[in-house]
Amino acid sequence: MIFLKRIEALGFKSFAEEIKLDFDFSMTGIVGPNGSGKSNINDAIMWALGEQSYKTLRGDSMEDIVFSGSSERKALNLAEVTLVFDNSNRSFSSLDFNEVAITRKYFKSSKESEYYINKSRVRLKDIQDIALETGLTKSSLAIISQGSISNFVESKPEDRRKLFDEAAGVARYKKRKEEAIRKLSRTQENLDRINDIINEIERKLPSLQKQSLKAKEYSETFEELKKIEVSVLLNDILLYKNKLEDLSKEKADIQTEINILEKNISKSTLEYNQLRSTSGENEKELSKLNKDFTKIVEKISELKVAKITLESKKEKSSIDDNEYKISDLKSQSKEIEVQIDSEESRLAKLLNEKHDKKIKVDDLSSKRYKLNNELEHINKTISKLEVLIENLIIKKNSLDNLFDGVKNILENKNILPGIIGTVSDFIKVKKEHELAISEALQNNLQNIIVKNTNNIKNAIEFLKSNKGGYATFLPLDTLRANYINDELKFVIKNTDGFIGFGNEIVSIEKKYKIIVDYLLSNYLFVNNFDNAINLSKVTNSKFHIITLDGQRILPYGAVVGGSKKNKNLNLFDANKIEQLEEEKKQLIINQEEIEKQILNLSEEIDLQREHHNEIQASIATSKKTSESLEKQLTKIKDEFRILTGKELSSEEIEYKSIDEQIIKLIEEIAESNNLKQEIEKEINVIRSLKDQSSQKQNELYKSLEEDRNMLSVLKEKYSSINSDKNLLLEKETNAKAHLAQDYNMTYENALKIKENKLDNEKEVREKIKELRLKITNLGNINLDSIQEYEEENSRYEMYLNQSNEIYESIKNLKGAIVDMDHQMIDQFRKIITDVNKVLPETFATLFGGGNASIIYTNPEDILNTGIDLKLAPPGKKISNLNLLSGGEKSMVALSVLFSILKVRPIPLVILDEVEAPLDIANVERFAKYIKTFINNTQFIIVTHRIGTMENCDKLFGATMEQKGITKIVQIKLVDAKKITNSN
Ligand code: ATP
């Protein structure tokens, strides 16, 4: 049989040059002097088949298998060996090729081996597996050295059995059994560990289960309570809201009433005070006029006395009655004429005055009319402003302009600590900067200022748990600004059109300054786009530049511009409200001023009207007086005509000096009378005004009294509504806080999931109490215990399963070990029986007679028993194997070896000088005996013995023609003998 067809080797040990050995006969001999490299062939075969032990390969390290150089040849880096096997009868059962070439390469530089089967790269394991299929493994059967042969007989029975184990294939089982035992012990350890864990869990589980059940009961009760209480709270909140709305309306109505009343009171008070002060002045005037009046009355009576005295003088000097009568008539007529003249001039004066007064009243009235119009306009403007302000306040309070997240946070400000408000609530922006600032800040206007970073955590949790949107928070404690350095600031300030740095053109309370520094330090504001471009160049496009009309240049040069509706401007409502309030204040000052002016004008008009009326009355009296005087004159003239028969004409009156005096007196009296009437008129005017004023004062006083009472009633009502409102607000806040704190819900959120309507509120409230009590009675709750219990329980089950599986696998492993033991025992017994069948004959053939058998040293324990030899060489009785000669020991070993080969043939056996100790006759027998196996086994025999050589079909000679480099060539027997003899 030829199994190994060829060996090719290069760089392996002493094979510095390529060697190629073709094995075309079943029995090939390799001969050569000591150290020529014969055994390196065995090493090459072993190595190519995957040998990993450098010791087995007779080296100190794997690098020793590469040609290490000689005196004439440099060392090599690569060792390569290829074995070519005949596989036509599928000795390598897994390889479907007729020929199998196994190659191993080793690179000294990388210390790496590469393996190939039929030139395809494979793993070491693939080589080892196919080697196993043929029995060509590291086995004392396949490659047998002289040492192992001579040791066989001397070795201990336990070591001796190894050969049979290998032959029986038991070695494999042993290895597997060892593995199984190792695995078993590992598995057992694993089981112990798992059982420890199971015990541990079992200890914890009952208390955890108890806790978990309690927690579940708590959760269920809590959920029930939540469902009911959320509804109750929502109902309450809704109720509070409705009531609050009603109260707000009522409050607004009352406020309007209060405003009107206050306005009236202030107006009436002003009027009342004005009247009082005018009354005082009138009083003074009146007393002065009364004095004047008394004086003039006195003067008139003095004049009248003087006149009477003169007239009496005149009487005494009268001649007769008739003459006296005529003279008297003359003087009377003169007196009346004087009076008529005086009355006429008075009337003329009065008519003039009347005209003047009318003009004055008209003038004052038109002034008052204009002022009234002006006042009406102001009033209307104030009303409009009030509506505007109210709407802005409502809009501001409604938070509708804000993002959901921001809105939700602000609405729940009182339950979220540290929330201060939005940026837009706090910054003050000049009107002309509003557009640019809102462009710069954009959505940052809605950033929420908070006291510190911890507050943010709370707020974010709140938003998350209520799915309430998101918001940006600015914590005052950690916020830092990125300021522009002073040099650069100086340059920027001196650039054309620069208006200011963002953080400097808006104002904010000092404690919040960091907010604008953070948001706006890097924003530069300029008057127009050209200057913006220029500033961007100057600052190397590092900052945001914004024009007053809202065009922007971003850092690195992008430009955002055009026109858009700026929703953010709404966020400046607070600013706007302030502006409007200021406007309103100014208008109210104007309003009051005009009202005062109107009041003064009205008083003046009243006065002038009164004068006018008095003048009118005086005109009437004057006309009457004139008429009566004319009548008197006519009567005197008639009397005169009857007496004298002549007409009385003024020219005819002759005056005596006394008459002239009297006439003068008459004129004076008339004049004084005029003055008296004048004074009387003034007195009348003032009196009438005084009367009117005091009546008016009384009325005003009364109405003021009423108004004040009314006002205090209304104010009381207002404050009671206010406190009711505050109470309701507090209740609403509490209810909301309750929702948020106990159920982590915002009002809006709760509204969305509100389910049940409350039927019987009393019952429901009772139920809430009951559930609360139940929760209190449950005591301490560990909510995590539900999950912990579930996790722990499933862990428990998992470990229990694992433990069962491990029990099962231990059982299987133990079963497998028992099976293997049975197999090993069977196979071991079988090989021993089989060998014992052929051993006597083999022994007899090699020894030329005698008998031999193998026996168990411990038949009770086949698995561990050693193997002993029972020998009877021809004519000898052996009591101690050590007494055998060296040659005999080798023969015994060879007999056993050949017996094994007989019953368990393997395809290749390499014998390395195993027959060295034999004598020539025995060598002959040995060589002949080998021949009997060549149908089933190929032999490669390294030998120095001629007997062996003679029986080989082919001989290779190993030489070192070049020092240190093995050369192998086929040689003839004669040459082989020569080599051997010279050795
Ligand atoms: P003997 O008949 O004495 O058993 P042999 O012919 O079997 O001798 P080997 O043991 O096969 O000789 O070969 C040993 C030779 O191989 C020695 O000369 C040794 O120097 C040489 N050798 C071993 N390894 C290397 C190596 N890595 N590089 C070069 N030569 C090596």
Side-chain angles (χ1 to χ4, degrees):
M1 150 138 186
I2 294 159
F3 179 52
L4 179 61
K5 288 165 79 173
R6 190 164 66 245
I7 300 178
E8 292 168 11
L10 175 63
F12 185 85
K13 288 203 170 177
S14 56
F15 306 138
E17 279 175 7
E18 188 177 33
I19 58 147
K20 219 180 223 177
L21 276 75
D22 285 303
F23 300 99
D24 27 24
F25 294 96
S26 296
M27 199 167 150
T28 309
I30 298 174
V31 301
N34 293 131
S36 60
K38 301 187 291 296
S39 298
N40 286 348
I41 292 173
N42 304 344
D43 293 342
I45 293 170
M46 268 193 278
W47 183 72
L49 289 172
E51 180 56 60
Q52 296 300 301
S53 156
Y54 47 82
K55 276 190 188 140
T56 311
L57 298 166
R58 301 181 293 150
D60 291 333
S61 73
M62 200 45 96
E63 285 158 57
D64 287 346
I65 61 103
V66 185
F67 176 69
S68 57
S70 67
S71 50
E72 285 151 29
R73 194 59 79 88
K74 270 210 239 153
L76 293 175
N77 176 42
L78 167 71
E80 179 174 352
V81 174
T82 300
L83 309 176
V84 181
F85 292 98
D86 176 50
N87 192 35
S88 47
N89 54 2
R90 297 295 181 264
S91 298
F92 299 111
S93 53
S94 62
L95 298 175
D96 197 18
F97 304 103
N98 288 336
E99 195 173 86
V100 171
I102 294 175
T103 306
R104 180 175 182 178
K105 293 182 187 177
Y106 177 84
F107 299 89
K108 204 151 85 179
S109 51
S110 64
K111 297 183 181 167
E112 295 281 341
S113 283
E114 290 176 1
Y115 299 91
Y116 300 83
I117 291 176
N118 288 350
K119 294 193 176 150
S120 301
R121 181 94 187 253
V122 295
R123 296 164 303 167
L124 165 65
K125 194 177 171 300
D126 300 322
I127 302 287
Q128 289 172 334
D129 284 351
I130 64 158
L132 236 146
E133 287 171 25
T134 57
L136 282 178
T137 39
K138 182 181 88 177
S139 137
S140 28
L141 277 166
I143 296 169
I144 299 162
S145 65
Q146 193 196 331
S148 61
I149 281 295
S150 43
N151 284 342
F152 179 74
V153 173
E154 288 161 7
S155 56
K156 287 191 230 148
E158 286 72 31
D159 293 335
R160 212 179 277 139
R161 82 164 267 161
K162 279 182 192 151
L163 185 69
F164 298 93
D165 278 343
E166 266 174 31
V170 166
R172 254 186 312 169
Y173 284 112
K174 271 203 168 153
K175 211 171 148 201
R176 274 202 252 153
K177 186 181 163 185
E178 274 162 23
E179 269 168 25
I181 288 169
R182 267 202 304 277
K183 200 170 165 197
L184 189 65
S185 116
R186 276 202 309 271
T187 315
Q188 187 61 51
E189 274 169 25
N190 211 4
L191 182 67
D192 293 346
R193 194 179 56 84
I194 284 170
N195 283 342
D196 283 349
I197 297 175
I198 288 173
N199 286 340
E200 172 73 23
I201 299 177
E202 271 172 349
R203 215 167 39 77
K204 279 203 288 194
L205 217 52
S207 111
L208 210 51
Q209 188 182 25
K210 222 163 117 190
Q211 279 185 49
S212 144
L213 283 174
K214 208 164 105 175
K216 267 187 189 155
E217 195 180 348
Y218 167 83
S219 293
E220 280 159 16
T221 317
F222 181 80
E223 277 309 312
E224 196 183 349
L225 176 67
K226 182 176 170 181
K227 216 164 157 188
I228 302 175
E229 195 164 29
V230 165
S231 295
V232 169
L233 284 170
L234 281 181
N235 263 17
D236 288 353
I237 293 172
L238 213 67
L239 198 79
Y240 301 145
K241 276 193 184 299
N242 288 341
K243 275 192 189 159
L244 274 169
E245 209 171 296
D246 292 347
L247 283 180
S248 290
K249 266 187 213 146
E250 206 179 330
K251 192 176 148 187
D253 290 347
I254 289 177
Q255 183 65 59
T256 321
E257 277 181 60
I258 287 176
N259 287 347
I260 293 169
L261 261 181
E262 278 180 339
K263 185 84 221 144
N264 278 350
I265 288 172
S266 97
K267 210 171 147 192
S268 300
T269 310
L270 189 76
E271 205 176 336
Y272 181 77
N273 291 339
Q274 183 85 9
L275 282 175
R276 275 175 67 91
S277 100
T278 325
S279 287
E281 280 162 24
N282 282 345
E283 203 64 54
K284 271 187 216 155
E285 181 71 16
L286 197 61
S287 91
K288 187 184 158 261
L289 283 171
N290 278 334
K291 271 181 201 156
D292 290 352
F293 187 75
T294 319
K295 262 188 208 160
I296 202 80
V297 167
E298 277 169 6
K299 192 181 171 186
I300 289 170
S301 39
E302 274 167 19
L303 285 170
K304 278 186 176 164
V305 169
K307 187 184 154 220
I308 290 167
T309 317
L310 277 180
E311 280 171 345
S312 68
K313 265 187 198 165
K314 203 177 142 190
E315 273 168 32
K316 274 178 203 160
S317 63
S318 293
I319 319 145
D320 58 35
D321 281 352
N322 213 19
E323 220 171 298
Y324 171 75
K325 189 89 178 150
I326 290 165
S327 153
D328 186 42
L329 284 172
K330 276 184 182 169
S331 66
Q332 272 185 45
S333 123
K334 186 67 198 173
E335 193 176 331
I336 288 166
E337 273 176 2
V338 168
Q339 280 178 4
I340 288 172
D341 282 351
S342 157
E343 204 59 55
E344 271 174 358
S345 74
R346 187 168 161 248
L347 184 64
K349 202 177 149 213
L350 283 171
L351 285 169
N352 261 344
E353 273 180 18
K354 184 186 163 194
H355 181 69
D356 286 351
K357 290 293 168 202
K358 188 165 182 320
I359 289 175
K360 202 160 187 187
V361 168
D362 286 351
D363 182 41
L364 289 170
S365 296
S366 91
K367 268 189 189 157
R368 189 173 66 176
Y369 177 76
K370 272 188 200 151
L371 282 175
N372 269 325
N373 278 346
E374 212 176 306
L375 183 64
E376 201 179 328
H377 178 72
I378 288 178
N379 286 344
K380 274 186 189 156
T381 317
I382 290 176
S383 304
K384 272 188 203 159
L385 279 178
E386 278 170 347
V387 172
L388 227 76
I389 291 169
E390 201 179 307
N391 287 343
L392 281 174
I393 290 175
I394 292 171
K395 205 168 98 190
K396 186 172 166 263
N397 291 344
S398 83
L399 310 173
D400 281 346
N401 292 322
L402 302 175
F403 298 132
D404 283 354
V406 179
K407 193 176 156 193
N408 278 325
I409 292 290
L410 293 186
E411 274 178 350
N412 293 284
K413 211 170 135 184
N414 37 11
I415 52 160
L416 295 169
I419 302 296
I420 294 169
T422 62
V423 170
S424 65
D425 287 339
F426 289 91
I427 59 167
K428 292 213 164 39
V429 182
K430 284 188 193 150
K431 196 154 180 50
E432 67 265 30
H433 296 152
E434 274 185 4
L435 181 68
I437 290 291
S438 77
E439 228 5 91
L441 286 175
Q442 310 239 346
N443 294 339
N444 289 342
L445 275 167
Q446 296 194 33
N447 288 359
I448 298 171
I449 307 174
V450 295
K451 270 199 191 132
N452 58 50
T453 321
N454 285 345
N455 306 140
I456 299 178
K457 224 177 115 188
N458 260 335
I460 289 177
E461 271 308 310
F462 178 81
L463 286 179
K464 268 165 73 183
S465 58
N466 284 294
K467 295 200 169 57
Y470 65 93
T472 305
F473 298 91
L474 305 177
L476 288 171
D477 63 338
T478 51
L479 211 59
R480 296 280 168 272
N482 181 15
Y483 297 102
I484 302 175
N485 67 47
D486 287 346
E487 282 159 43
L488 193 51
K489 268 179 121 173
F490 180 79
V491 176
I492 293 169
K493 273 183 193 162
N494 289 302
T495 311
D496 279 349
F498 177 71
I499 289 170
F501 299 96
N503 57 334
E504 290 171 7
I505 64 169
V506 301
S507 49
I508 194 162
E509 274 179 72
K510 212 173 160 199
K511 56 183 172 181
Y512 302 138
K513 181 78 172 56
I514 184 66
I515 300 292
V516 291
D517 286 351
Y518 167 77
L519 291 171
L520 288 168
S521 287
N522 286 283
Y523 286 78
L524 317 179
F525 291 79
V526 287
N527 60 352
N528 63 40
F529 193 66
D530 290 339
N531 286 328
I533 301 260
N534 178 41
L535 185 56
S536 172
K537 273 185 206 148
V538 170
T539 54
N540 212 3
S541 300
K542 259 166 84 178
F543 307 110
H544 295 263
I545 299 167
I546 299 180
T547 65
L548 284 186
D549 63 348
Q551 318 298 319
R552 291 193 292 151
I553 300 179
L554 307 184
Y556 304 111
V559 179
V560 182
S563 97
K564 68 172 175 183
K565 255 193 170 173
N566 196 325
K567 277 201 291 184
N568 287 328
L569 284 176
N570 288 334
L571 297 169
F572 291 119
D573 282 350
N575 272 338
K576 204 174 259 166
I577 291 170
E578 221 166 84
Q579 284 165 16
L580 293 178
E581 289 283 7
E582 191 48 47
E583 253 176 67
K584 185 180 151 189
K585 219 161 107 190
Q586 205 50 51
L587 282 173
I588 286 173
I589 293 172
N590 288 352
Q591 184 196 42
E592 279 168 0
E593 182 53 40
I594 290 173
E595 275 171 351
K596 217 170 182 176
Q597 284 179 27
I598 289 174
L599 209 62
N600 286 338
L601 275 176
S602 296
E603 238 176 54
E604 183 66 21
I605 288 170
D606 285 349
L607 179 72
Q608 296 306 331
R609 279 219 176 104
E610 209 46 55
H611 273 292
H612 184 265
N613 291 345
E614 272 310 307
I615 291 168
Q616 190 70 33
S618 297
I619 286 172
T621 345
S622 172
K623 275 184 178 163
K624 258 190 199 155
T625 314
S626 288
E627 251 172 49
S628 110
L629 283 172
E630 287 290 348
K631 268 184 194 158
Q632 279 182 45
L633 189 63
T634 315
K635 206 176 148 196
I636 288 167
K637 277 184 175 170
D638 285 348
E639 247 182 83
F640 186 81
R641 201 183 311 115
I642 293 164
L643 267 175
T644 64
K646 286 190 213 163
E647 287 296 318
L648 183 62
S649 72
S650 40
E651 298 91 54
E652 278 180 50
I653 302 165
E654 293 164 22
Y655 292 107
K656 289 177 186 160
S657 86
I658 199 155
D659 288 334
E660 274 173 2
Q661 281 176 38
I662 290 169
I663 285 164
K664 209 170 168 218
L665 276 172
I666 289 167
E667 278 171 353
E668 265 182 60
I669 289 168
E671 219 171 88
S672 295
N673 261 330
N674 276 353
L675 195 62
K676 187 188 130 201
Q677 276 170 11
E678 201 61 32
I679 294 170
E680 259 181 324
K681 193 181 83 194
E682 273 305 302
I683 289 174
N684 284 343
V685 167
I686 290 174
R687 278 208 179 116
S688 140
L689 278 177
K690 223 182 116 195
D691 290 347
Q692 282 174 29
S693 165
S694 61
Q695 200 190 333
K696 228 175 185 175
Q697 278 182 49
N698 284 340
E699 283 166 13
L700 274 175
Y701 189 79
K702 245 166 93 187
S703 88
L704 263 173
E705 197 84 327
E706 280 168 16
D707 283 355
R708 283 195 181 119
N709 285 341
M710 188 66 182
L711 184 66
S712 83
V713 170
L714 283 174
K715 279 193 167 165
E716 220 163 88
K717 209 166 164 189
Y718 184 87
S719 90
S720 115
I721 289 178
N722 235 5
S723 61
D724 287 356
K725 240 184 111 178
N726 286 341
L727 206 73
L728 280 169
L729 268 176
E730 200 181 315
K731 281 184 171 176
E732 188 191 341
T733 310
N734 287 345
K736 281 185 175 173
H738 201 50
L739 267 179
Q741 275 156 10
D742 289 0
Y743 304 114
N744 218 352
M745 275 186 186
T746 58
Y747 170 63
E748 290 72 18
N749 212 350
L751 271 182
K752 281 183 218 152
I753 54 160
K754 186 187 170 186
E755 290 167 359
N756 47 336
K757 265 178 74 183
L758 297 178
D759 295 329
N760 184 338
E761 208 183 314
K762 204 175 155 217
E763 259 174 40
V764 169
R765 291 198 192 265
E766 270 314 307
K767 184 81 189 163
I768 289 176
K769 264 193 210 158
E770 189 188 303
L771 290 171
R772 280 201 176 283
L773 187 70
K774 194 173 166 191
I775 286 176
T776 318
N777 289 341
L778 279 172
N780 281 344
I781 298 296
N782 173 10
L783 278 177
D784 293 339
S785 66
I786 299 178
Q787 202 188 341
E788 271 173 39
Y789 172 70
E790 268 164 26
E791 281 172 7
E792 211 57 5
N793 197 35
S794 70
R795 244 182 91 204
Y796 179 68
E797 276 164 14
M798 179 190 85
Y799 281 121
L800 221 53
N801 276 344
Q802 273 187 23
S803 154
N804 288 337
E805 279 167 17
I806 294 174
Y807 271 124
E808 195 59 32
S809 83
I810 286 178
K811 214 169 95 188
N812 291 341
L813 272 172
K814 283 184 174 163
I817 291 171
V818 171
D819 281 353
M820 278 189 274
D821 284 350
H822 286 313
Q823 291 275 350
M824 283 192 286
I825 290 168
D826 286 353
Q827 293 195 19
F828 193 72
R829 271 209 177 105
K830 188 151 184 359
I831 188 113
I832 298 299
T833 319
D834 289 352
V835 169
N836 265 338
K837 276 183 193 151
V838 295
L839 182 59
E841 189 206 324
T842 313
F843 185 83
T845 312
L846 287 180
F847 273 85
N851 198 3
S853 64
I854 44 181
I855 51 168
Y856 304 116
T857 52
N858 183 5
E860 303 304 313
D861 181 9
I862 301 298
L863 275 179
N864 299 306
T865 181
I867 292 295
D868 225 337
L869 294 164
K870 225 173 120 191
L871 300 173
K876 285 185 183 169
K877 235 186 161 184
I878 300 292
S879 55
N880 186 343
L881 289 176
N882 281 330
L883 298 176
L884 289 171
S885 75
E888 282 174 325
K889 282 178 187 164
S890 293
M891 291 277 279
V892 171
L894 285 170
S895 310
V896 174
L897 189 72
F898 287 137
S899 299
I900 292 172
L901 266 185
K902 247 187 194 163
V903 294
R904 298 282 186 278
I906 54 173
L908 177 67
V909 174
I910 299 160
L911 301 171
D912 192 354
E913 295 185 49
V914 292
E915 81 289 32
L918 305 188
D919 58 26
I920 292 176
N922 279 334
V923 168
E924 191 61 38
R925 256 187 283 192
F926 156 80
K928 288 254 161 57
Y929 200 72
I930 286 178
K931 284 246 169 210
T932 61
F933 290 96
I934 58 172
N935 283 338
N936 293 320
T937 304
Q938 177 185 3
F939 288 92
I940 296 169
I941 307 166
V942 175
T943 185
H944 285 295
R945 305 300 297 270
I946 291 171
T948 309
M949 293 175 205
E950 281 170 347
N951 283 287
C952 284
D953 306 314
K954 188 173 182 175
L955 290 171
F956 286 108
T959 56
M960 280 195 170
E961 282 170 17
Q962 280 183 58
K963 216 168 170 1
I965 297 168
T966 303
K967 189 179 173 192
I968 295 178
V969 286
Q970 190 181 349
I971 52 169
K972 291 190 177 128
L973 183 62
V974 218
D975 299 324
K977 282 180 183 166
K978 271 186 206 158
I979 292 171
T980 307
N981 290 333
S982 67
N983 200 9

